[in-house]
Amino acid sequence: MTNFTAGYFTMTEQEAVEYAKGTLDFFAPDAELSCKEIGDGNLNYVFRIVDAHTDRSLIIKQAGPVARISDEFKLSPDRNRIEYDILRLQGELAPGFVPEVYHYDPVMNCTAMEDLSRFQILRTALGKHQSFPHFADHITTFLVNTLLSTSDLVLGHKEKKELVKQFTNPELCEITEDLVYTEPFFHCPRNDVFEGTRSFVEREVWADETLALETAKLKFNFLTNAQSLLHGDLHTGSIFVTEDETKVIDPEFAFYGPAGYDIGNVIANLIFAYENAKATDGTPEYQRFLLETIEQVVDQFKTKFTAAFRDQATEQVARYEGFLEDYLTGILQDTAAVVGLELCRRVIGIAKVKDLTDIADPERRTTAEINCLTLGKQLILNRRDYQTGDSFIAAIKKEDTP
Amino acid sequence: MTNFTAGYFTMTEQEAVEYAKGTLDFFAPDAELSCKEIGDGNLNYVFRIVDAHTDRSLIIKQAGPVARISDEFKLSPDRNRIEYDILRLQGELAPGFVPEVYHYDPVMNCTAMEDLSRFQILRTALGKHQSFPHFADHITTFLVNTLLSTSDLVLGHKEKKELVKQFTNPELCEITEDLVYTEPFFHCPRNDVFEGTRSFVEREVWADETLALETAKLKFNFLTNAQSLLHGDLHTGSIFVTEDETKVIDPEFAFYGPAGYDIGNVIANLIFAYENAKATDGTPEYQRFLLETIEQVVDQFKTKFTAAFRDQATEQVARYEGFLEDYLTGILQDTAAVVGLELCRRVIGIAKVKDLTDIADPERRTTAEINCLTLGKQLILNRRDYQTGDSFIAAIKKEDTP
């Protein structure tokens, strides 16, 4: 047997099987295990281990060598600890909506978790024009359960302060601060603008000082507002779906920030799917499903948040007449702003979404991207005006090419 | 010699001398030391140690037995670590405006620091109608240097997040959350209202739902807004003065919160001194000194903050046109609100100020207290309207009894 306690090394498939047998209390002693590395080889190795007798399976996710990661991305292995801790917590707060985690090993830098092979990535599925009628219901439950329960509305203020400490995440936050809140809004060398869209960006985004000022205010809200424990990267590539189930994965960006950040990311990425659907001749029914989902995310979030608040709020001053309405108004305002930021940054910044880059026809891609930018600007500049699902849909439809 | 490494015990005066000789590199080997315990016996023992040869002296501040503190106040000794760390940091950021700290001992739970015996407490001195013409200049330098330098405007965002962690202060924050933001604004058994003021409080504060709602919003700002590293308890009892010098002491409440909290506490406590001066027949010159000081605190803070920002800001988006103005508007708005909260809570809540309780004549005391409450409400409810020293003075004078 390999000695797994001596220190960190990158596992082979065979060593992952030995690790599962020797360290985890998951498979039966007579299990007949096979293993395949299925990661994309970027930052993590992802081993899928299956027992031929029972078909039970699990995933071991191991961080690549620290040296390599540090050199390239300056990311410490602490992100794996954060991911494990937050998956445990989210699993308690929103049972069934995150993969189950079985084990974390700070020496081997790996986490053993539920195998989600029967799921597909939501962004990929939406790219194939598949509908998920329960998605709005699922994701709003996840959002309300995680965002409300970790806020000062419900959690004791001392406990909350400990969670703020535990989930301090400087390196991953820096990525967001740079890529979402800063670089897209000026002529930064790291930006990556599609040729057809470039003149619009130069004219309507980089030359707009009013827009720049609003993004600066929003960046400081992101930097200072420790409202709720966020997933922090809740786009449709971080969501696994089947027809009946939704699982939120990859919470390594988790930290305490404005609740609207998570909600806004969900909505913006549904808008990308909608722009993709229009540009790739999705059926009117499919387009309608996407718009209805966006509307439901906003409205169901508000309804469920209100009900859960009434049920769970422990902070007495939060129960003063008018407080909840004011609090929700703030969340929705932040949500609209983040939708706008995400719409702009995925068009202009270095990190792209397939919904836009997969649009083969250059004119259609440009149209889709300019729609995103025009809508994004609107939402940032007039973020106080979007308090209902309706108002988001009206804004989205206004950009529909006739 | 006493063995100081074996574990914590409460020192006698003689043991404090031995400790200073054996542990600190402060006095000469042939120093002839004498010691007197000068603390008020509340939470800490304060030993003043003097060398008869040179007249050099220092203070050793030792926390009382943990058990006793825990039973009474549920405060962990971590507050001493926080106090030492913040004094070091404030000493770097605002040299000369805090006592120098020489040594911290986590086992003996004590800190050795500069002896400030030649200073007096500002609140006491103002009660004797003494003027300090440099105070506004000094305190605004302290405020700007500590509040700006620890914010995301100047400090790298990763470093700032580490400071947020380091100065997480759940127990002391809870005291403020309860005593400043919650209890004064409803009929809480712990409140302590002067008989003459009581009917006004019942009618104008506890029955005012609009006021309650605004205090709830402000409480959540205090709970979530990690803007600057605050002193956290900057009333005139935490400030030592001579004619030429100002030292800020007792920063054990330090944590990351809204910058306006510190500024607001300074101003509110100057207003208490002003109400005291009026009620105890202070000369017109002395009253004018207090009003001018308040005006200067506001205006010099803005001027110095603006200049220091131009000089030191590292965050590029903060230099966008219009950002600084918006940022300062926010700080001033928080300042006005905190002035209002402090004015109300010292009248209604459990923690009093001598400026009011020392007013011997019951009618005059009631007048002073009602002035504070009326002004406090104004400032909380209309906090957006106080952006200049002028506007604060106008509001204060409006409450002057004709």
Side-chain angles (χ1 to χ4, degrees), chain A residues 158-176:
Chain A
K158 287 179 177 174
E159 273 177 87
K160 183 248 184 172
K161 288 180 182 75
E162 285 307 315
L163 281 188
V164 172
K165 262 169 86 169
Q166 186 183 345
F167 291 104
T168 299
N169 200 347
E171 292 164 345
L172 282 294
C173 281
E174 185 180 55
I175 295 176
T176 305

Side-chain angles (χ1 to χ4, degrees), chain A residues 220-272:
Chain A
F220 273 78
N221 184 42
F222 184 83
L223 287 165
T224 57
N225 181 3
Q227 184 176 32
S228 290
L229 182 53
L230 308 184
H231 177 280
D233 195 28
L234 198 46
H235 56 76
T236 45
S238 299
I239 299 170
F240 271 17
V241 286
T242 65
E243 207 168 312
D244 305 314
E245 281 185 277
T246 300
K247 301 265 187 197
V248 174
I249 62 162
D250 285 349
E252 61 191 0
F253 279 77
F255 78 107
Y256 259 89
Y261 191 79
D262 276 356
I263 315 163
N265 267 315
V266 171
I267 295 170
N269 281 274
L270 291 169
I271 294 172
F272 293 135

